[in-house]
Amino acid sequence: MFDELSEKLDGIFGRLRQRGLLTEPMIHEGLRDIRRVLLEADVNFQLVRDFLARVEEKATGERVLKSVSPGQQIVKIVHDELVVLLGERPAPLSVAAIPPTVVMLVGLQGSGKTTTAAKLAKRMIREGRAPALAALDPYRPAAIDQLETLGSEIGVPVLANRAERDVVALSRWAVEQASRGRHRAVILDTAGRLQIDSELMDELRRVRAAVEPMETLLVVDAMIGQEAVRIAQGFHEALDLTGVVLTKLDGDARGGAALSIRGVTGVPVKFVGTGERVDGLEVFDPYRMAGRILQQGDVVGLVEKAQQAFDEDQAKALERKVAKDGRFDLEDFLTVTQQMQKLGPLEGLLKMVPGVNSKLLKQTKVDPKKIRHVEAIILSMTPQERRRPDILNGSRRLRIAKGAGRPVQEVNRLLEQFRQMQKLMKQMKGLGGRMPGLGQLGI
Ligand SMILES: Nc1nc2c(ncn2[C@@H]2O[C@H](COP(=O)(O)OP(=O)(O)OP(=O)(O)O)[C@@H](O)[C@H]2O)c(=O)[nH]1
Ligand SMILES: [Mg+2]
């Protein structure tokens, strides 16, 4: 699917990885090559520029890991940024609280709506969601026939009403039928047009207002490259799309659309079509997709491991510092909190430490969502406050709370946790000077 792009990127990374040391001009040259192949793959120009700016910033600012080469580190940076560009994580279909979940498919003629409707229905059967398909193209009798053929192939009922010519009435009727038939989902297959015109958009808007779908998915053909991005923009402006299905990625699409749609429109790609048959549908997973494009899975894994080892080194350094001068300040607290989040709860380890009560154990469970708040609070302190938390009086706490945009109670709670951990550190020191040692976890 991304063969050509992958091959070219592989060549560039191969050259970068051969070098033992990377100078800035070398990085620059590598990035210029990447830029060229992304543009050749028809990725949006502006996106390419921003993407490479981020990669370059990271590549020049990155801490150097001792166990991997700089070239390998760049592969990892490009990979991570690619994942971000593609939307970070899969975007599953939303489910309505009261069934049926209405999924409306829109798009230009021949983009693959009817095929995708059947593919999605097949997927829903596997998930036990008893779907129905609704034919909302009153203009072309053959369109209804096509959906009925697909429906009987996969064993999904098709709601069609050849006598009704009004699309809005038709859509209301279909959703009502699905509801009566106790279907938990209904997929609306709407009519396509040759181009975006106000009549088409107006009709779709009225259908949307009438049945209020949970999902309004644009089905767009990846083979048309950048044009797909323009179409997505047009549909999104008119209909507030919730997702995109990119079809025909099995063909010789250059991949630019897949790489650009999310970045340009902000609408997530939810699925990709990878064949004419009803099982040719895949969830769009940014991480896996980036892996497929770069084909450098081994390198990415290697650098991830090295980064973990780096964190371990950092933990050991902290251990030494605590052991040496017995001091544990808020900067250390931030480091430990961040590492706990990476490593998961430390209960197992802490349970072995005498004097650790269950209250403290609960507190060491770090909620990943809260980590940002902890960071914000600590970063709102002055360096002096971080080193000497005992000077944090009421007015300082209030200022910090304001600066971090968090309630002052949260600042107090954090300081309480900090004191608990400080106490724990002292106990650990008594036990031989090891902190709740990330090193002890054997990673
Ligand atoms: N190779 C490939 N072909 C696809 C894919 N999705 C759809 N097609 C083909 O594209 C053609 C058009 O598909 P339809 O599902 O009829 O498109 P549509 O959007 O419903 O078309 P209209 O109803 O006329 O607007 C058919 O020949 C499909 O087999 C895909 O993911 N890969
Ligand atoms: Mg169709």
Side-chain angles (χ1 to χ4, degrees):
M1 149 189 339
F2 295 107
D3 294 351
E4 210 180 311
L5 176 60
S6 294
E7 216 169 281
K8 288 180 186 162
L9 285 172
D10 195 44
I12 298 170
F13 289 131
R15 285 196 293 282
L16 279 173
R17 281 163 51 186
Q18 271 164 16
R19 306 208 164 110
L21 207 79
L22 285 183
T23 59
E24 275 196 33
M26 285 177 192
I27 295 178
H28 220 82
E29 189 197 309
L31 295 185
R32 216 181 42 226
D33 291 342
I34 295 175
R35 176 191 145 85
R36 186 176 38 79
V37 304
L38 287 177
L39 289 176
E40 277 168 15
D42 216 8
V43 181
N44 176 279
F45 171 78
Q46 179 95 34
L47 283 184
V48 172
R49 208 178 56 190
D50 297 348
F51 173 79
L52 288 177
R54 284 198 306 274
V55 171
E56 178 151 22
E57 193 189 317
K58 271 194 172 174
T60 44
E62 187 86 332
R63 57 203 189 184
V64 178
L65 299 168
K66 55 185 182 229
S67 48
V68 294
S69 75
Q72 289 172 321
Q73 252 179 286
I74 290 191
V75 171
K76 174 72 164 49
I77 294 169
V78 172
H79 172 270
D80 289 353
E81 284 303 322
L82 206 50
V83 174
V84 171
L85 182 72
L86 295 174
E88 286 189 73
R89 49 187 69 84
L93 288 186
S94 307
V95 176
I98 303 165
T101 297
V102 179
V103 177
M104 178 172 164
L105 300 184
V106 301
L108 296 185
Q109 216 168 66
S111 58
K113 293 176 297 300
T114 306
T115 314
T116 301
K119 290 174 175 179
L120 279 175
K122 180 143 195 242
R123 219 189 147 74
M124 287 176 176
I125 299 175
R126 274 210 310 274
E127 293 166 354
R129 290 181 58 198
L133 287 159
L136 292 197
D137 186 347
Y139 313 108
R140 232 170 22 98
I144 305 176
D145 299 342
Q146 186 195 357
L147 194 64
E148 282 180 334
T149 308
L150 285 166
S152 67
E153 187 186 325
I154 56 174
V156 169
V158 173
L159 306 164
N161 184 347
R162 286 177 167 80
E164 180 60 75
R165 309 291 284 180
D166 177 65
V167 190
V168 175
L170 196 53
S171 62
R172 276 212 192 91
W173 170 83
V175 171
E176 202 185 295
Q177 289 294 307
S179 176
R180 282 217 189 123
R182 300 198 178 281
H183 289 287
R184 284 172 52 206
V186 55
I187 301 165
L188 311 182
D189 180 28
T190 64
R193 297 284 159 80
L194 271 175
Q195 63 196 37
I196 299 180
D197 55 47
S198 55
E199 200 190 331
L200 166 71
M201 290 302 179
D202 201 48
E203 181 182 290
L204 293 173
R205 259 198 297 261
R206 281 185 290 125
V207 171
R208 194 169 192 265
V211 298
E212 297 183 350
M214 271 314 268
E215 294 277 358
T216 307
L217 303 179
L218 172 71
V219 178
V220 63
D221 181 339
M223 307 254 273
I224 58 179
Q226 278 307 297
E227 183 66 6
V229 180
R230 209 184 53 77
I231 290 166
Q233 259 174 319
F235 272 87
H236 187 45
E237 271 159 30
L239 290 170
D240 225 349
L241 301 172
T242 58
V244 170
V245 181
L246 262 183
T247 61
K248 310 184 195 179
L249 262 185
D250 50 311
D252 52 11
R254 282 187 289 171
L259 287 164
S260 310
I261 280 189
R262 163 66 211 244
V264 173
T265 64
V267 181
V269 177
K270 296 201 166 181
F271 297 96
V272 292
T274 54
E276 292 187 67
R277 292 163 45 94
V278 285
D279 47 12
L281 186 77
E282 281 178 30
V283 168
F284 185 81
D285 179 338
Y287 192 89
R288 274 206 352 243
M289 200 57 81
R292 246 195 234 177
I293 294 168
L294 290 186
Q295 302 193 340
Q296 305 267 335
D298 49 339
V299 175
V300 171
L302 192 72
V303 179
E304 272 166 7
K305 275 213 194 82
Q307 281 171 335
Q308 272 175 12
F310 182 90
D311 289 341
E312 197 179 347
D313 286 354
Q314 219 181 9
K316 286 219 177 89
L318 181 55
E319 255 175 42
R320 277 194 295 275
K321 174 176 173 290
V322 174
K324 195 165 138 262
D325 56 33
R327 281 249 319 271
F328 179 76
D329 60 23
L330 277 161
E331 304 237 6
D332 303 328
F333 178 75
L334 182 61
T335 309
V336 173
T337 317
Q338 283 166 336
Q339 297 202 334
M340 275 188 180
Q341 190 221 359
K342 278 189 208 144
L343 297 171
L346 291 171
E347 294 129 288
L349 182 80
L350 288 181
K351 271 188 198 134
M352 299 184 300
V353 181
V356 175
N357 60 31
S358 57
K359 190 165 149 243
L360 178 62
L361 274 181
K362 254 198 225 113
Q363 286 172 347
T364 57
K365 261 197 196 158
V366 182
D367 177 353
K369 273 182 236 137
K370 293 205 178 121
I371 187 91
R372 275 196 302 279
H373 299 163
V374 171
E375 278 169 353
I377 291 171
I378 296 185
L379 294 175
S380 297
M381 298 175 183
T382 65
Q384 196 201 13
E385 287 167 342
R386 273 176 241 161
R387 276 192 305 272
R388 295 191 44 212
D390 49 303
I391 63 170
L392 287 169
N393 59 16
S395 68
R396 282 181 192 254
R397 290 180 190 203
L398 210 62
R399 189 208 79 233
I400 291 162
K402 266 207 190 122
R406 305 303 306 164
V408 72
Q409 293 89 326
E410 206 171 301
V411 177
N412 291 336
R413 214 175 314 135
L414 183 146
L415 289 172
E416 177 54 29
Q417 279 176 317
F418 164 71
R419 259 188 291 276
Q420 297 261 16
M421 195 174 283
Q422 204 175 26
K423 220 164 75 193
L424 178 68
M425 289 300 151
K426 288 213 180 90
Q427 290 170 358
M428 299 295 259
K429 188 164 179 272
L431 289 171
R434 289 181 66 98
M435 60 170 283
L438 305 148
Q440 291 170 1
L441 290 179
I443 36 126

